[in-house]
Structure formats: C-alpha cells, structure tokens
Amino acid sequence: MDVQVSSFSAEGLSNIRQTLSSLASGIPLDPLPPPVPVRCPDVPHAVNRDPALSPEAFRLALRNALRYFPARLHRTLAPEFKAELQSYGHIYMYRFRPTYEMKGYPLQCYPARCPQAAAIMMMIMNNLDPAVAQFPHELVTYGGNGSVFSNWAQFHLTMHYLSQMTMEQTLAMYSGHPLGLFPSHADAPRVVVTNGMTVFNYSSRADYERMYALGVSQFGQMTAGSYCYIGPQGIVHGTTLTLLNASRKYLKSAVRAPVFVTSGLGGMSGAQPKAGVIAGCVTVVAEVCEAAARKRFSQGWVNEILTDVDEVITRIRQCRERGHSHSIAYLGNIVSLWERLADEPQNLVDLGSDQTSLHNPYMGGYFPVQISYEEANVMMTADPVQFKALVQESLRRQVNAINRLAARGMAFWDYGNSFLLEASRAGAEILKPDGQTFRYPSYVEDIMGDVFSLGFGPFRCTS
C-alpha cells in the first residue's frame, strides 16, 4: 500500500483529496458514467461463469442488480446488465468502475469522519489495486473467486456509508452488500462483515454459482471480503516457517539448498518463491498464467522466469551443485514439470507441495495439462463436462508423478488448498492401502501444528 505522506507534495495531497471526495457521493447517477461495452484488455479478467440460471432466476438477477438504482434508470441499465450476465455469468456493472487510480492512499485524504472509517476505505481500495488484486475489474482479490464486492454499485455505496460513519456507528456488511449504519459505541467494531452464509444442504458449487449470479451471496475467501488482504507479503512469514519446519522434519540429513517444487503465483501463493529463498531453498513454482508470473517477477517475488522444462531441470542442477538458494517461475503446467522430474534418473526434488486453487477446480482454480491456458478458459464454460473430465485426468497424472518422486524420497504435503480432496474425487492414487487415510499430510497438522500450539506463527491482525 502506498500510504507514505512524505512521498506526496502539498499539491499532490490536495489533488488526491479532491479525487477521493467523490467517494462520499455514493453511486454516480447524474450524469451516469459512460457504458463499457468490452472488457479492458490491459488487466487479467475472471473466467466467464455458467450459473445455469432458469429464465425466472435470470430475471431475478436483473431485478436484484437494478435495485441499486432509481426506476428512471432501469430502461438504460437493464439491457447492459443483461448483456453482462449473458456474456460473463455475472453482473459486475463495469460502467460504474472508477476511472481514478485504484490503490491505497494516505488516510487523511479520505472523506471520512473518523480515522477507523478512513482506514477501512484505504484497505478496500488496496484490495482492488491492480498491483494486488487477481482480477481487479471483477472485484476479485485472490483465489479465483475471493470477492471484495459482488458489483461496483456495492463499492460506491459502502464508501458512501464509510464517509458518513461516526465513532458511534457500525456498518453491517453481507456478501458485499452494505445493510446500513447502525447505532453502536466507540468501543464497538466499526464494520461487521459476513460472506457466503449458507446452510449445508444449499452450499454446493452449483448453489454458489447460482447465488453469486443472483447477487445474493459471494465467496470472500479469508481476507478479500474482509478487506485485509496485503498480497504475498501477508503469507510470506507463514510460508517461510512452513519450509523451515518441513526441512527440519522431513530431511533426514542436512541438505544444502534443498529443492522445493510447487505451483501457483496468483495470490497468496505468490509468496512461495520469496519464502523459499529466505529458507535457503531452490524453489521452482509452476504458473500457467503469464500475467500472474510476470506480475510476481516485476514485483521481485521471484528471481527468474523460464518457459522450457528442460531449462528448468538444468537450472535446478546448477543451483543444487552450487548450494545457492534461488527461485524460478516455470511458465507452464505443473503436471508437465512433475512428470519431467519423475522421469529423471536422479531424484532432484526434496520437498513438494501445491497451491493451485483446488477449492474451485472447474472455474479457473486448476488448469489441466492436456490443453492450453487459453483453451481451458473457453472450455470451462463452453463444455464444462469435458473440462471436468480433463481436470480429473490431469490430477490423476499429477498424483502419479508425485507418488513416483515420493517413493524415491521426496516429502510432499497438502497446503490447505483441497489438493488431496479433489485428487481423491478424481480417482487418483492418493489414499493409503487402508482406503481411508491420505498418503500425504496437511501442512497445518503435520508441519505447523507445534508452532501454532506455542502461540507463534504466521499471524496477521487488523484493528
């Protein structure tokens, strides 16, 4: 977050205050911002969703979106929102996305009546900063579907409420929707947030897609919908501790620059290469999205990007021989990398894990090895049955390669991303002979448990 006041001139601060003053006005209606017929090509975008709405549910989604606007504007906005829902599977209200630079600004620049409200406004804008957010124009911060808001009208309304808030009020939020300011007191929370509140029997993926398209629920992840995401820096401490403790626990003898292979550079997974270097590892992270890999490289989270798997193998050997910690982003599919490593006569990997977003395997959280990244983005909505089959086949291949390496001494663990669960659902050989227990442990239980029990670990707090 760029919040250092000393880096701004007096004139600069004045200009920022003038720009941010519009936050107090709520949704811009008079005049309406110009329509946005196509997505901006300069930033990554969320995948097109297929909520499979019935005609009645489709109309309900439109009514839910239009409730944020006076009736006189419905005739103008309804066709536009309909087109978004048909094209993208969700109504984001691109017309209302602010045109000023989205990032965290100095607190005193926000039009707020109390410092806590200004801080929350800054946190929200930081979560939507293109340098931070995974899909900023779709209000998704990380994890493929970790949303700050469901649409841009909610952004404007929330900022308006925050600009009016006093120390005697609390803003209640549900799945991006501001319910209003309620009387409270100075020691009460300024904002109370909940996301995705559903009962068990109505919490399937299909239920989520339908409710998200209707605009009545969203998945806020842990720190997207609570506004306290701070990018890879928020988890680099925990990832470093995980790697240090994994090395102590799993490596039978001291290994100079152990090799750690994993995947994912999109959000919090972007901390992996930096943490690996801090922990003294040679870290290789596979990433299929070029924009994500280039972002992490430009931000200094990874040392280099390689596109050829044979070149990755060569670099691993060089770093092992020299005993140098180093981080490599392999721009390619993790399955290709695992299979290539498993075919090597010498075991080159000491530690392994995975941080693909397998909580969301069929809508952009996992990309199968059989097709390209671009082809996958089309197929997941155009032919979801075939896409699911490819994902599950890819998971079976991935587990097979991991099992071969584990049999030769590599230690592998699940990073809390549902890898073991989805691999088992795919029919991969991920269970022990008893058919009940996973072959590999979870990092929380097996690696970090003792650290957590001591009250020490990768903790962050916001107040």
Side-chain angles (χ1 to χ4, degrees):
M1 288 183 288
D2 184 6
V3 295
Q4 295 296 319
V5 177
S6 59
S7 64
F8 296 93
S9 66
E11 182 181 0
L13 288 172
S14 177
N15 290 337
I16 293 171
R17 289 191 185 97
Q18 183 176 356
T19 297
L20 297 183
S21 65
S22 63
L23 294 174
S25 302
I27 303 173
L29 301 177
D30 189 16
L32 280 174
V36 180
V38 294
R39 283 174 162 176
C40 173
D42 299 330
V43 297
H45 290 282
V47 300
N48 297 340
R49 318 186 78 88
D50 181 19
L53 297 179
S54 67
E56 181 181 358
F58 192 97
R59 290 190 293 270
L60 178 59
L62 287 175
R63 290 198 299 271
N64 287 343
L66 291 170
R67 65 183 172 170
Y68 292 103
F69 304 92
R72 61 183 173 83
L73 296 176
H74 289 188
R75 186 178 296 275
T76 299
L77 297 176
E80 191 174 304
F81 293 167
K82 177 182 177 182
E84 287 189 16
L85 189 55
Q86 289 173 328
S87 299
Y88 310 124
H90 190 76
I91 301 172
Y92 298 104
M93 306 183 187
Y94 290 116
R95 175 197 287 258
F96 296 96
R97 185 179 64 81
T99 56
Y100 48 77
E101 185 178 6
M102 184 66 69
K103 65 177 184 178
Y105 291 96
L107 287 185
Q108 57 267 51
C109 293
Y110 286 92
R113 300 173 66 182
C114 65
Q116 289 89 339
I120 296 165
M121 296 169 88
M122 181 183 72
M123 291 162 61
I124 288 171
M125 292 184 67
N126 177 72
N127 265 28
L128 296 171
D129 184 339
V132 175
Q134 185 179 14
F135 306 125
H137 291 192
E138 288 74 49
L139 303 113
V140 172
T141 301
Y142 71 102
N145 55 2
S147 301
V148 185
F149 300 105
S150 183
N151 57 61
W152 285 103
Q154 292 177 344
F155 167 85
H156 289 291
L157 276 178
T158 300
M159 290 303 206
H160 168 70
Y161 281 125
L162 288 170
S163 72
Q164 302 300 310
M165 176 190 289
T166 71
M167 292 293 289
E168 304 296 325
Q169 292 175 311
T170 292
L171 174 62
M173 299 290 302
Y174 171 69
S175 284
H177 178 72
L179 300 175
L181 291 171
F182 294 84
S184 62
H185 53 85
D187 294 329
R190 294 282 71 80
V191 178
V192 176
V193 181
T194 187
N195 290 285
M197 294 291 285
T198 59
V199 297
F200 180 79
N201 287 344
Y202 298 89
S203 59
S204 68
R205 286 196 184 94
D207 289 323
Y208 162 72
E209 291 294 340
R210 179 177 55 82
M211 289 186 283
Y212 182 59
L214 290 174
V216 298
S217 188
Q218 71 176 22
F219 183 47
Q221 287 273 3
M222 182 175 287
T223 56
S226 59
Y227 322 136
C228 55
Y229 183 75
I230 53 175
Q233 63 177 316
I235 200 64
V236 68
H237 178 211
T239 308
T240 301
L241 290 175
T242 299
L243 289 172
L244 290 172
N245 288 332
S247 297
R248 296 187 187 108
K249 181 166 186 174
Y250 299 140
L251 302 183
K252 296 179 180 178
S253 59
V255 178
R256 190 180 177 194
V259 176
F260 172 51
V261 174
T262 181
S263 58
L265 287 171
M268 298 196 6
S269 58
Q272 293 182 108
K274 178 71 74 175
V277 170
I278 296 171
C281 297
V282 178
T283 302
V284 183
V285 186
E287 173 57 61
V288 294
C289 175
E290 183 172 1
R294 299 291 176 193
K295 177 190 283 190
R296 296 305 172 217
F297 176 71
S298 67
Q299 293 173 338
W301 287 97
V302 64
N303 294 139
E304 66 173 332
I305 298 175
L306 299 178
T307 59
D308 181 82
V309 70
D310 291 328
E311 192 174 353
V312 173
I313 301 298
T314 299
R315 187 57 54 87
I316 290 174
R317 292 185 183 279
Q318 292 172 345
C319 293
R320 278 171 60 99
E321 291 170 2
R322 297 170 185 168
H324 290 171
S325 61
H326 188 66
S327 63
I328 302 164
Y330 166 56
L331 185 53
N333 196 289
I334 183 59
V335 181
S336 299
L337 180 58
W338 280 126
E339 291 180 335
R340 179 67 174 79
L341 288 165
D343 288 339
E344 281 291 302
Q346 176 191 5
N347 181 27
L348 297 177
V349 189
D350 302 292
L351 304 170
S353 192
D354 184 275
Q355 284 199 36
T356 50
S357 296
L358 275 163
H359 64 276
N360 185 35
Y362 308 122
M363 286 301 296
Y366 184 94
F367 288 82
V369 66
Q370 305 93 321
I371 55 178
S372 70
Y373 175 73
E374 292 76 18
E375 290 169 332
N377 274 318
V378 173
M379 183 185 288
M380 66 181 67
T381 51
D383 192 351
V385 174
Q386 176 64 12
F387 184 75
K388 180 178 180 179
L390 291 181
V391 166
Q392 294 193 327
E393 179 189 348
S394 185
L395 281 167
R396 292 193 293 271
R397 286 175 54 178
Q398 182 171 346
V399 170
N400 181 59
I402 289 169
N403 289 346
R404 291 167 60 194
L405 288 163
R408 293 155 61 184
M410 179 190 74
F412 184 88
W413 64 88
D414 181 294
Y415 219 110
N417 63 329
S418 297
F419 177 80
L420 297 177
L421 175 63
E422 289 301 331
S424 66
R425 288 172 172 170
E429 295 182 11
I430 201 71
L431 297 175
K432 292 181 178 179
D434 63 11
Q436 301 293 323
T437 310
F438 288 124
R439 285 176 180 245
Y440 305 107
S442 163
Y443 87 107
V444 172
E445 298 166 352
D446 207 54
I447 302 173
M448 297 300 289
D450 291 341
V451 173
F452 281 128
S453 69
L454 296 173
F456 171 77
F459 303 123
R460 293 169 289 154
C461 66
T462 309
S463 58

